[in-house]
Amino acid sequence: MDNDDDNEPLESETKDETEAALAPQNSDDTLYCEAEALPSVEKEKANREDSETDLEIEDTEKFFNIGQKELYLEACKLVGVVPASYFIRNMEESCVNLNHHGLGPLGTKAIAITLVSNTTVLKLELEDNCIQQEGILSLMEMLHENYYLQELNVSNNGLGLEGARIISDFLQENNSSLWKLKLSGNKFKEECALLLCQALSSNYRIRSLNLSHNEFSDTGGEYLGQMLALNVGLQSLNLSWNHFNIRGAVALCNGLRSNVTLKKLDVSMNGFGNDGALALGDALRLNSCLVYVDVSSNGITNEGASRISKGLENNECLQVLKLFLNPISLEGAYSLIMAIKRNPKSRMEDLDISNVLVSDQFVKVLDGVCAIHPQLDVLYKGLQGLSSKKTIALGTSPMKLIQNYADQKKISVAEFFKGLNPSGLMTMPVGDFRKAMIQQSYIPINRYQVRELIKKLDEKKGMVNFSSLT
């Protein structure tokens, strides 16, 4: 890490007291921002009429005409903390990552004061900073004034009930540019779910919400289900690693029936069971929006897989279904792929049953399914009694095959891939790429080799990118 900026002198017109604040300090002290307020500062703060959590917007207005660095240093003096050198160096970047910096509530307040007038930071990462209720209040007050910040991560900050109340009050007002909010690991329980869901029922700005690793159980699932039935903004919701069981799972899935905006749902590491799987199957039969569902590790057996399959037979939008780490065997795997086969309008691209050991006969059936749906890839654990000859065949380098073909035709590998894309662009959705590779007749290639290609080219955002091959 380059610390040259820590000792950078101010311009000549800067005030003397600000110069003193910028004097060189030990790098170990300046890297992390949280230091307890000095006694003199504490005495001054004790005489303030307003509470410590107030952002003192009127105080920051007098600093609007000075630089962001100077404003931050004044804010640090105001609340009595040591400035974070990382923030000083990066406050003009679009993404500021202050995860695990030990900011505390006062260090967070100093940053919030600075961001009131900031127009460059679009993404702010504050995970694991012990910001507590005072820190989250400072951030929410800042967002009333800042219309540039779009993404906020305050995961693992122990916000609890009062923190959920503060966030809910903010969400009910719908008046910021914030669209992505991460609240993972904040010890949110049922009452927190009620507060957040009341706010989200009418909030249309938040499109991505992470509530994983909290303590929601069945009552929380009921609140969330009611919210999903009303919400018209959320597109991605992460509820993994909570405590949902059958009642909460059923209520949650019931909310999905009428939801018209949610595209991605992660409820892995919960307790849906087979009854929850039945409710999910019913939701998939009616829902026309979900494209990604993760129900890994939910105690779903072959019976539950069969119930989900009923939904897959009629669903025309789901592309990714993850069932990893559920006690599903070959019987459940068959029911899933046959449901896709029976649905001519299925858009399934990725089915993850990667803990299931399948048979040669299953692979033959899957070949037939993939002939109908060439965009489909099914991840399973492996084949029983797979011969060494087959292992070698599956391991043949697809890129070498493509390179040989390109050399013969005197074209580049990138030009070959680009020719598969009707738009002629260097990027392509994974499902469309898989379908194009299977259907092309120039190079003999199987779906396992296509999977290897996708691993090389996938940007982890559902797109493959050929530009690296130019």
Side-chain angles (χ1 to χ4, degrees):
M1 187 181 295
D2 185 0
N3 290 324
D4 291 343
D5 291 344
D6 292 346
N7 300 329
E8 181 182 347
L10 290 177
E11 297 177 1
S12 58
E13 67 271 20
T14 307
K15 295 180 181 180
D16 292 341
E17 63 178 13
T18 306
E19 287 179 349
L22 269 179
Q25 302 176 42
N26 183 286
S27 60
D28 291 337
D29 293 333
T30 57
L31 181 60
Y32 297 104
C33 179
E34 181 61 3
E36 291 301 322
L38 299 174
S40 59
V41 177
E42 287 289 354
K43 183 177 180 180
E44 178 184 347
K45 285 162 57 183
N47 294 329
R48 291 183 180 275
E49 189 172 295
D50 296 330
S51 68
E52 287 183 339
T53 56
D54 183 56
L55 261 190
E56 306 289 353
I57 301 300
E58 56 277 349
D59 283 352
T60 63
E61 284 177 350
K62 66 183 179 183
F63 300 131
F64 275 11
N65 293 324
I66 65 176
Q68 286 285 294
K69 183 186 293 187
E70 290 81 1
L71 174 57
Y72 175 56
L73 292 168
E74 290 288 349
C76 287
K77 287 172 61 179
L78 177 68
V79 301
V81 296
V82 177
S85 60
Y86 176 89
F87 183 58
I88 292 173
R89 291 194 301 273
N90 292 276
M91 61 174 56
E92 294 183 2
E93 301 295 327
S94 61
C95 176
V96 173
N97 188 336
L98 286 163
N99 292 342
H100 321 296
H101 269 62
L103 297 175
L106 295 180
T108 303
K109 182 176 180 180
I111 288 170
I113 291 173
T114 309
L115 291 178
V116 166
S117 58
N118 183 283
T119 61
T120 58
V121 178
L122 306 179
K123 180 178 181 180
L124 180 61
E125 295 277 339
L126 293 173
E127 180 173 351
D128 181 30
N129 274 290
C130 196
I131 72 174
Q132 302 174 20
Q133 292 84 358
E134 181 182 348
I136 196 64
L137 179 58
S138 297
L139 292 169
M140 296 301 104
E141 289 180 344
M142 174 269 293
L143 285 168
H144 282 297
E145 305 293 329
N146 182 310
Y147 289 91
Y148 294 88
L149 190 65
Q150 299 178 20
E151 303 179 44
L152 177 63
N153 180 7
V154 287
S155 298
N156 297 307
N157 274 294
L159 300 181
L161 177 58
E162 190 55 37
R165 193 184 312 278
I166 292 167
I167 294 169
S168 300
D169 289 344
F170 165 75
L171 292 177
Q172 284 182 322
E173 298 185 14
N174 265 320
N175 64 350
S176 81
S177 298
L178 193 71
W179 65 269
K180 187 172 185 178
L181 183 57
K182 294 183 179 180
L183 298 171
S184 176
N186 273 302
K187 301 180 180 178
F188 291 158
K189 299 183 180 180
E190 310 295 57
E191 194 172 351
C192 301
L194 174 60
L195 292 169
L196 292 169
C197 289
Q198 286 174 339
L200 289 166
S201 293
S202 58
N203 181 287
Y204 56 86
R205 293 188 182 273
I206 299 297
R207 301 199 301 272
S208 178
L209 180 63
N210 188 335
L211 288 168
S212 63
H213 291 270
N214 279 295
E215 300 171 26
F216 301 140
S217 57
D218 287 339
T219 302
E222 291 175 339
Y223 294 142
L224 287 159
Q226 294 166 10
M227 178 273 292
L228 286 173
L230 298 172
N231 179 275
V232 291
L234 276 177
Q235 297 180 16
S236 175
L237 179 60
N238 188 340
L239 295 170
S240 62
W241 292 93
N242 275 281
H243 304 160
F244 302 123
N245 289 305
I246 294 172
R247 180 164 59 90
V250 170
L252 192 62
C253 292
N254 286 342
L256 295 174
R257 293 184 178 204
S258 55
N259 183 278
V260 294
T261 58
L262 193 68
K263 297 180 181 298
K264 182 176 181 178
L265 176 66
D266 186 348
V267 286
S268 59
M269 305 296 170
N270 280 288
F272 270 44
N274 291 333
D275 288 336
L278 172 61
L280 178 60
D282 289 341
L284 291 176
R285 184 169 52 84
L286 299 171
N287 183 281
S288 59
C289 192
L290 278 170
V291 298
Y292 178 109
V293 174
D294 189 345
V295 283
S296 299
S297 190
N298 266 278
I300 297 171
T301 68
N302 290 335
E303 179 186 353
S306 176
R307 292 174 173 181
I308 291 175
S309 298
K310 298 296 183 182
L312 294 179
E313 288 182 8
N314 297 285
N315 186 280
E316 299 178 15
C317 59
L318 191 68
Q319 297 175 17
V320 178
L321 177 60
K322 293 184 176 292
L323 284 160
F324 179 56
L325 290 179
N326 283 294
I328 296 172
S329 68
L330 190 56
E331 177 188 343
Y334 266 118
S335 66
L336 291 164
I337 64 169
M338 293 307 293
I340 296 171
K341 181 180 181 180
R342 287 190 290 268
N343 183 355
K345 295 183 178 181
S346 174
R347 296 186 61 195
M348 279 292 300
E349 296 179 3
D350 290 284
L351 174 62
D352 186 351
I353 49 172
S354 48
N355 60 303
V356 179
L357 197 62
V358 301
S359 64
D360 285 328
Q361 181 60 33
F362 176 87
V363 174
K364 291 177 182 178
V365 173
L366 181 58
D367 287 339
V369 176
C370 291
I372 300 171
H373 299 289
Q375 80 283 359
L376 177 65
D377 188 27
V378 178
L379 293 175
Y380 48 80
K381 185 175 183 179
L383 289 172
Q384 298 170 341
L386 183 64
S387 68
S388 59
K389 184 177 179 180
K390 277 188 177 180
T391 303
I392 294 171
L394 297 181
T396 305
S397 170
M399 196 61 78
K400 186 174 181 180
L401 293 173
I402 295 168
Q403 184 67 65
N404 290 341
Y405 174 81
D407 292 344
Q408 291 174 11
K409 296 297 181 179
K410 297 182 179 179
I411 61 174
S412 69
V413 171
E415 287 174 322
F416 168 79
F417 284 129
K418 188 176 179 181
L420 298 175
N421 193 350
S423 69
L425 299 175
M426 297 299 284
T427 58
M428 192 175 182
V430 168
D432 293 346
F433 174 74
R434 184 181 292 118
K435 183 176 181 178
M437 283 301 304
I438 293 296
Q439 291 182 333
Q440 58 82 32
S441 58
Y442 311 112
I443 303 168
I445 193 168
N446 60 42
R447 64 176 179 272
Y448 307 103
Q449 293 166 318
V450 173
R451 184 187 299 166
E452 185 177 336
L453 279 176
I454 291 171
K455 286 181 180 179
K456 292 179 180 295
L457 301 171
D458 189 7
E459 291 186 316
K460 305 300 182 186
K461 297 179 181 178
M463 302 287 287
V464 291
N465 191 335
F466 315 133
S467 59
S468 61
L469 302 173
T470 55

